[in-house]
Amino acid sequence: MDFKTRLTRYYKLRCPQKLCDVEKLVAKYATKEKELFRQLTFKYGPENYLSSADKTAIRSRAPQPKQNNL
């Protein structure tokens, strides 16, 4: 599931009046998806159940920490 689909699904469930903001938020939080969903969960409540495939897709988009090669 891509970021836009995930955010649209969340807003349909928790705050339908915010659906018009999806495009703007996707652009603004393109590299901060996890942070946005943390804020949304605090404000509106948790997401619906995510399948294993959805979780894997979300993790694969997250920026990977840089490794120090000493």
Side-chain angles (χ1 to χ4, degrees):
M1 164 184 330
D2 68 340
F3 183 21
K4 182 178 177 182
T5 302
R6 182 182 180 197
L7 187 57
T8 301
R9 185 175 110 170
Y10 181 84
Y11 273 148
K12 279 182 182 177
L13 173 70
R14 297 288 177 191
C15 193
Q17 64 271 25
K18 294 283 190 176
L19 282 168
C20 60
D21 295 335
V22 168
E23 292 289 336
K24 180 176 69 171
L25 289 170
V26 167
K28 182 176 180 179
Y29 289 92
T31 60
K32 302 178 218 166
E33 179 178 351
K34 189 175 181 178
E35 176 60 29
L36 175 62
F37 275 92
R38 221 179 261 142
Q39 292 173 19
L40 291 173
T41 299
F42 181 75
K43 187 170 184 175
Y44 300 113
E47 278 185 87
N48 267 357
Y49 172 78
L50 294 171
S51 70
S52 298
D54 290 339
K55 289 177 186 177
T56 300
I58 291 164
R59 279 189 210 108
S60 70
R61 288 195 310 274
Q64 301 301 317
K66 293 183 180 183
Q67 295 180 353
N68 267 341
N69 292 334
L70 301 176

